[in-house]
Amino acid sequence: MSGKSDDLVLVINSGSSSIKYQLLDPESSAIAASGMVDRIGEPNSGIEHHAEGRTVEHHGPIADHTTGLKLVFDMFAETGQDLAGAGVRAVGHRVVHGGEVFYRPTLIDDSVLAAISELSSLAPLHNPANVAGIVSARKLLPDVPQVAVFDTAFFHGLPDAAKTYAIDAKVAAAQGIRKYGFHGTSHEYVAGAVARLLDRDRLEVNQIVFHLGNGASASAIRGGHPIDTTMGLTPLEGLVMGTRPGDLDPGIVPHLMRSAHLDIDQVDELLNRHSGLKGLSGVNDFRELQRLIDAGDDASRLAYEVYIHRLRRYLGAYLIELDRVDAITFTAGVGENSPQVRADALAGLSRFGIEVDPALNTAKSRVARHISTPGSEIAVLVVPTNEELAIARAAHRIVAADG
Ligand code: ADP
């Protein structure tokens, strides 16, 4: 195996029908293996496993997460990495919802697992899948410490005015209704990278981060601490996403139930899987959207305009909330790769001290970089996110501290 195996952390990000994984060195960030189990529970499940310069595939039905992970372990063995025998240092699990309970990476025992499971009422599409991943990994690697890293943790300390929804306070308290925020691991990782790029202390930097992937969110961070973020009780709120609408008039939900006779599961399905770019244009992938726009498709053009309009609305809000802003940063699939989105999101804002340099913006690069002009008061940056590395480092830290 490349690298000392006991330095490596296995990171598992398990979704409702998929498991993404990486085996990596938290110090050097070198990846020893990675892959994805796809379409769990469907007849055409599959696994793609990359290791030692090779790709190994598996095709055929995979009934559940445990079966998927077991097959992944077999594939590790096939590429010469005996995971069970190799003494991996820790398994780091991405867990979407930590509720009010979890606000830092946490070593998993039976009671932590039960608490994550209980939080499923707040994240019915996510936490059950995370629990399935944890249960499977504990079965397959019973002697390796498992650590949960929560998407909500970074936003735990949001100010009351930002996290409180203006509904009946007793109902909100009874149901745990508040803004929790998600993508926290990415926002925190990127905010740290921004401070390093600016050569400033993280606690001095005021910044806005746009994480634009399939899911999308923005955060306003003052001196290292988030003061606002776009996602809310669930990852549905805020920016327009691949299949999710972001902000909506809440009255739309009862209207759909009364007038279109949708039941609550159908509304959930509509909002989570058939809205956002997909709902407006038929496609959720940004590259396909761009191809359709180039081919003159009006619905796709409108989807793009709604997407940019929403970004700018939050940009304006966060410029005011933060007052002084040192950096605006784009990250994740769209943020890192679409100069068009970055240019349109920040167009015409020189009076606010924001000037994108067209040549820097369109230059191809995979590293953290400036894309603003030297005269831009606010630095505009592109910083590749790396949630797996952040999870691996957090898991490694917890395990090292635990002795
Ligand atoms: P996830 O939320 O699944 O982690 P990613 O951060 O990988 O998502 O982002 C996926 C999105 O990034 C997709 O919409 C994809 O089309 C978009 N994307 C990837 N590469 C490019 C590119 N070169 N130009 C525009 N969009 C891109």
Side-chain angles (χ1 to χ4, degrees):
M1 191 183 287
S2 47
K4 273 211 327 293
S5 59
D6 60 359
D7 289 334
L8 300 178
V9 175
L10 177 66
V11 173
I12 295 183
N13 179 355
S14 87
S16 54
S17 64
S18 69
I19 306 171
K20 290 188 207 158
Y21 60 90
Q22 252 185 36
L23 180 67
L24 73 167
D25 181 334
E27 225 164 278
S28 71
S29 79
I31 298 170
S34 67
M36 178 165 178
V37 187
D38 216 0
R39 296 182 293 273
I40 295 170
E42 293 177 35
N44 58 342
S45 324
I47 306 179
E48 218 174 83
H49 177 80
H50 314 278
E52 310 285 331
R54 286 170 62 197
T55 297
V56 190
E57 291 182 21
H58 170 95
H59 301 280
I62 297 172
D64 51 36
H65 287 73
T66 306
T67 313
L69 215 49
K70 172 89 183 47
L71 285 165
V72 167
F73 279 40
D74 294 345
M75 293 170 103
F76 269 105
E78 210 178 305
T79 51
Q81 299 169 309
D82 175 11
L83 208 51
V88 168
R89 187 81 165 96
V91 181
H93 294 270
R94 176 187 182 211
V95 177
V96 169
H97 219 306
E100 291 277 12
V101 191
F102 298 109
Y103 47 90
R104 56 171 69 104
T106 304
L107 199 59
I108 299 171
D109 58 18
D110 290 345
S111 70
V112 168
L113 184 59
I116 294 172
S117 192
E118 265 172 47
L119 288 165
S120 291
S121 63
L122 288 173
L125 299 176
H126 296 99
N127 275 37
N130 302 152
V131 168
I134 294 169
V135 169
S136 311
R138 286 179 97 197
K139 244 185 242 161
L140 291 163
L141 290 174
D143 300 326
V144 179
Q146 317 255 336
V147 176
V149 179
F150 298 90
D151 248 36
T152 47
F154 183 52
F155 298 114
H156 184 261
L158 282 179
D160 289 344
K163 75 177 188 207
T164 305
Y165 290 108
I167 62 167
D168 185 313
K170 288 197 203 72
V171 174
Q175 301 302 325
I177 293 174
R178 53 158 278 193
K179 182 185 276 289
Y180 290 95
F182 298 87
H183 288 150
T185 306
S186 175
H187 284 276
E188 186 175 21
Y189 175 87
V190 169
V194 166
R196 284 193 296 280
L197 194 60
L198 298 179
D199 200 17
R200 307 242 327 248
D201 188 321
R202 191 175 60 87
L203 300 178
E204 278 177 9
V205 179
N206 287 4
Q207 53 178 313
I208 298 171
V209 175
F210 285 105
H211 173 111
L212 309 177
N214 269 316
S217 63
S219 64
I221 303 169
R222 177 183 288 143
H225 302 289
I227 60 162
D228 211 346
T229 189
T230 53
M231 284 178 165
L233 171 79
T234 73
L236 274 180
E237 192 181 352
L239 302 177
V240 175
M241 309 177 216
T243 61
R244 290 170 255 164
D247 295 340
L248 281 182
D249 174 354
I252 291 172
V253 172
H255 177 72
L256 283 171
M257 296 179 77
R258 277 195 208 102
S259 297
H261 306 294
L262 299 188
D263 67 27
I264 198 65
D265 291 327
Q266 290 169 314
V267 173
D268 227 19
E269 171 91 5
L270 178 79
L271 297 180
N272 279 290
R273 302 201 196 284
H274 304 291
S275 300
L277 299 175
K278 174 130 193 253
L280 290 171
S281 72
V283 298
N284 66 290
D285 188 283
F286 221 86
R287 283 164 294 194
E288 283 182 48
L289 185 81
Q290 282 171 331
R291 275 194 281 279
L292 286 171
I293 294 171
D294 293 343
D297 183 66
D298 287 340
S300 300
R301 161 64 45 196
L302 176 62
Y304 182 80
E305 284 168 6
V306 175
Y307 184 95
I308 295 294
H309 180 265
R310 189 76 51 81
L311 283 186
R312 288 172 69 90
R313 179 191 289 171
Y314 276 108
L315 173 66
Y318 290 173
L319 286 171
I320 299 287
E321 283 187 48
L322 284 168
D323 192 20
R324 191 202 84 225
V325 177
D326 302 302
I328 297 169
T329 304
F330 293 89
T331 191
V334 177
E336 290 167 32
N337 295 300
S338 175
Q340 188 72 50
V341 164
R342 299 190 295 253
D344 291 340
L346 303 183
L349 299 180
S350 53
R351 68 189 180 287
F352 295 101
I354 303 168
E355 266 176 21
V356 173
D357 180 313
L360 292 177
N361 185 33
T362 48
K364 289 228 181 308
S365 167
R366 298 245 142 256
V367 300
R369 60 198 183 274
H370 281 75
I371 58 163
S372 42
T373 63
S376 183
E377 249 172 72
I378 299 177
V380 182
L381 311 171
V382 178
V383 172
T385 192
N386 193 339
E387 286 161 290
E388 289 78 13
L389 179 60
I391 291 170
R393 285 185 174 161
H396 196 264
R397 241 188 342 265
I398 296 290
V399 169
D402 201 51

